[in-house]
Amino acid sequence: MGMISKLTNWYFSRDALPYWGILLLDCLIVFCADFLVYALNNGVFYTIQHFGALSGAFGFYLVFYIVGFRLFHTYSGVIRYSSFVDLQRVAFAVFTGLLLTLATKYVLHSDDWLAPVRARDLGIAALLSIALLWSVRVAVKYLYDTTYKQKRSKRVFIYGVKAGGVGLAKSIKNQESPSYLLTGFVSDHSDMPGRYLMGVKVYPNDENLVNEMKRHKTKILLVSPLKNDAIRNNPDMVGRLLAAGIKIRMDAGMQEWDGKSSLSHAQLKEVDIEDLLPREKIEVNLDAVKQQLTGKSILITGAAGSIGSEIVRQVAQFLPSPYAKLTLIDQAETPLHDIRLMMARQWPAIDAKTIVADICMKERMEEIFAESRPDYVFHAAAYKHVPMMEDNPGESIRNNVEGTRIIADLSVKYGVKKFVMVSTDKAVNPTNVMGCSKRICEIYVQSLDKAIKDGKVKGVTQFVTTRFGNVLGSNGSVIPLFKEQIKEGGPVTVTHKDIVRYFMLIPEACKLVLEAGTMGAGGEIFVFDMGKPVRIYDLAVRMIQLSGAKNIEIKITGLRDGEKLYEEVLNKEENTQPTFHPKIKIATVREYDYDDACRQIDAMVKSSVTADDMTIVGMMKAMVPEFKSQHSVYEVLDK
C-alpha cells in the first residue's frame, strides 16, 4: 500500500499525461486484448507460434481503432477527471474501430494476405477492450478521489439537501483543482437523515452534528444558498459549530438562489458576523422608486457617511437621464473625495457635484439650492455618537437641529417636492442628548409639513421622516470596533452584559428609506421593523469565535453617558399604522404647533452659543418631556 501511495502521489503531483501518452496506452490495451482473446480461443502455444503474423494483423487493424479514437477525441481529456460522457466516447470509438475492421476483413478479404482472425474473436476483443479502457479510467479517478484528492482537499459537510445543496456538491466534485472533499450532508427534514446522497451520508441537524463532523475530521460547513436564512436564524446551531472550531462558509451576497444559476465553490467565502446575524429578507418596490427618481435633481446631505453614501449608490441607479443631477454635500473632505471618485468610475454619465460644506452655513446652503434646484432632498447629515453629543449638547443643537431647519426651510423656499430625513430609534423616549436632538428635528419637519398643509406656510414640500436602529458596519458601530480590538489581541469591550441592539444591513435600510421617502404623502414618521434584537455580549463572543483568536478577554466597562440597555423603536404612547410595506409602519406621535416649535428652537439655537450645557439640556427637556437622561450628569434635571 505504501508503494501504491507513493506512486499515486508521484503521478497526480505531475501535470496530466500528454495526449499521445493516453493514445499510446489505449492502443496498447486494444492490442493486448486482441492477443488475449485469440490465445483463449485458439490456444496459447498456437498463438506464440504465429505471434509475428498475428502482430502484423492486429497492428493493421489497430489503425482503424486509432481512427475511432481520433473521431471521438478519447485522448483529449484528463483521465483523473473522467466522467460518464468520457466512457461513452471510449465505447463509441472502439465500436467504430471494430466496424471498420470487419468491413476491411470482408470487403478487402484481409484474411487472404494477413493472419486469419475470426470475426467473433474481434468482437469479443472489442468488448474486452472497452472493459479494460473503462477500468483504467475508473481506477485512476478512484485513486485520485480517494487518496491524492483526500490528502489535499478540505473535508466539508454541506448544509442542505435540495437543489441548492446538490448543485453545490456537484460543482465541488467536478472541479479540476478541487478545494473541498464532500464527507456528508446536513438536513433539517426528518425523512432524510440516514440516507445516502451522492455517495455520502445525510445527517440530522441536531446536537450530535458537531460530533459527527469531528468523527469525519471535517472542520468546514458549506451552506447551500437555499439555507442562508435558515442558518442566520438558528443561533444555537451557529454557536455550537463556532465553539467547536468549525468554520462556516456561505455566499452571503446571494439572498435567494433562483434554482438555475450555476453554483461554484469559488463563490463561497468564510462568513463575517454580519452574514450570521438573524434577519429576514426585505423586498422593496424598486420599480416604484425608480419611477419617482429617474431624471430628477436630487440633493443628499451627509453624502459621505455610512447611510448617505449608500443612498448615493442606490439613487445613482435610477438617475441616468440628460436632465438628472446629483448634488452631494458633506463636511468630511476625504470620504467625500472617495464618493467623487466612485461616481466618476461607476456612473460617469451622471452630473454629480461633490461639495464640501457645512449645512449650518445658511448662505452657502442657499447658493447650493439656488444652483441645483433639487426635486428631492435626502437629509442624512447629523452628529450621531451618543457620548460625544452628551459632552457637546450645543453642537447637537447647532448641527442636528439648526442644520436640519436650514435644509428644511430652503427646501420649502426652492420648491423641493419631497424632503426625506433620516432619524434614529434613539429619538424614541430619548435618554441622551443625541437622541433628543433628533426628536426635535422630527418635531420641526413634521410641524412644518402640517403648517404647509394648513396654509400657514406657503410651499409644496412634503416632509417624511424615517426612523430605524443600528446599521451593520456603519462608521463607529460596535462591529468595526470589535474587529479592531480582536485584531489587537483584546480585550473586547462591552458596556453591559445585558445590553441589546437592533441591527439592519445598510443597503436594506437605505432601500426602505428610498421607498418610504418616495411613497410617503408628507408628515409621516416611518418606523422600520428591525427584526430580532441582538445581545451585544453574544455578538462579541461570536466574533471572537469567528476570528479563531485564542484567549481574547471580554471586558465589561459599564454603560456610557446617556446609554440605555434596550433601544425602543416606538414611544410607549405611540401607536402604529400599517403602510404599503410590511416592514414599514407609521408612528402616530404628538403633534406640535409650528410657531411654538420655532420659538423653542430659536431659543435653543441662541443658547447653544452662549449658555452652559445644563441650560441647553434643560431647554431640550422642556420641549421633549419624555427625554429622561440615563447614566448622565443631566439626570439632576429630571428630579
Side-chain angles (χ1 to χ4, degrees), residues 14 40 44 82 158 165 198 205 279 305 374 449 471 473 479 529 588:
R14 301 168 62 85
L40 291 173
V44 175
S82 295
I158 290 180
M198 297 183 66
N205 183 12
R279 65 177 186 269
D449 186 271
V471 287
I479 290 177
D529 179 359
T588 54

Side-chain angles (χ1 to χ4, degrees), residues 314-492:
Q314 295 192 17
V315 165
Q317 303 175 58
F318 308 128
L319 283 184
S321 163
Y323 310 105
K325 186 185 293 184
L326 196 55
T327 304
L328 311 177
I329 302 172
D330 206 295
Q331 287 190 83
E333 178 201 16
T334 299
L336 190 61
H337 180 64
D338 293 337
I339 297 297
R340 181 191 189 107
L341 295 177
M342 178 194 74
M343 292 302 301
R345 182 176 63 254
Q346 296 185 23
W347 293 283
I350 295 178
D351 178 11
K353 292 187 178 180
T354 47
I355 301 173
V356 179
D358 183 352
I359 60 171
C360 298
M361 301 295 291
K362 185 175 181 179
E363 294 79 6
R364 179 70 177 119
M365 291 299 106
E366 179 134 20
E367 289 178 4
I368 294 170
F369 269 79
E371 181 182 350
S372 62
R373 300 283 176 170
D375 299 299
Y376 285 81
V377 171
F378 291 92
H379 178 50
Y383 287 146
K384 65 179 182 179
H385 293 286
V386 169
M388 291 293 290
M389 292 303 99
E390 207 70 10
D391 294 337
N392 300 277
E395 284 304 312
S396 74
I397 295 298
R398 284 191 291 274
N399 186 80
N400 291 3
V401 179
E402 179 63 1
T404 296
R405 183 165 71 161
I406 288 171
I407 301 299
D409 290 348
L410 288 172
S411 295
V412 175
K413 181 176 179 179
Y414 286 92
V416 170
K417 180 180 179 182
K418 195 160 291 184
F419 176 103
V420 183
M421 186 181 79
V422 175
S423 188
T424 170
D425 57 356
K426 293 177 176 62
V428 184
N429 290 329
T431 61
N432 52 67
V433 169
M434 191 282 286
C436 184
S437 71
K438 293 298 287 183
R439 176 66 191 124
I440 295 171
C441 293
E442 293 179 356
I443 290 169
Y444 182 74
V445 299
Q446 205 174 23
S447 64
L448 177 54
D449 186 271
K450 187 174 186 302
I452 292 173
K453 287 181 169 62
D454 292 344
K456 292 181 179 179
V457 175
K458 186 177 180 180
V460 297
T461 308
Q462 296 175 337
F463 288 88
V464 173
T465 298
T466 57
R467 185 192 281 176
F468 53 93
N470 303 282
V471 287
L472 294 173
S474 67
N475 297 328
S477 69
V478 294
I479 290 177
L481 174 63
F482 287 173
K483 285 181 178 178
E484 188 63 29
Q485 290 175 336
I486 293 170
K487 184 179 178 182
E488 293 175 355
V492 173

Side-chain angles (χ1 to χ4, degrees), residues 478 481-482 485 491-500 535-541 544 553-560 563 565:
V478 294
L481 174 63
F482 287 173
Q485 290 175 336
V492 173
T493 57
V494 178
T495 59
H496 194 286
K497 197 164 185 177
D498 295 323
I499 194 168
V500 297
R535 191 164 171 253
I536 300 301
Y537 185 87
D538 294 340
L539 184 70
V541 171
I544 293 170
E553 178 193 359
I554 298 178
K555 185 177 179 181
I556 306 298
T557 59
L559 291 173
R560 300 175 299 176
E563 189 172 42
L565 286 177

Side-chain angles (χ1 to χ4, degrees), residues 522-548:
E524 306 100 335
I525 295 180
F526 288 110
V527 181
F528 298 166
D529 179 359
M530 299 293 293
K532 300 176 182 177
V534 177
R535 191 164 171 253
I536 300 301
Y537 185 87
D538 294 340
L539 184 70
V541 171
R542 195 69 48 82
M543 289 185 67
I544 293 170
Q545 291 173 335
L546 273 174
S547 72

Side-chain angles (χ1 to χ4, degrees), residues 21-34 62 65-66 68-69 72 74-75 78-80 82-83 86-98 125-141:
I22 297 175
L23 179 61
L24 188 62
L25 176 63
D26 291 349
C27 289
L28 183 61
I29 289 173
V30 172
F31 190 75
C32 291
D34 285 336
L62 185 61
Y65 287 93
I66 294 175
F69 294 146
F72 292 95
T74 57
Y75 50 82
V78 181
I79 293 181
R80 70 189 70 164
S82 295
S83 64
D86 296 310
L87 299 184
Q88 280 184 316
R89 288 176 179 170
V90 167
F92 291 152
V94 172
F95 282 129
T96 298
L98 176 62
L127 294 175
L128 179 61
S129 296
I130 292 173
L132 292 173
L133 291 170
W134 281 1
S135 298
V136 167
R137 283 160 170 76
V138 171
V140 171
K141 184 174 178 62

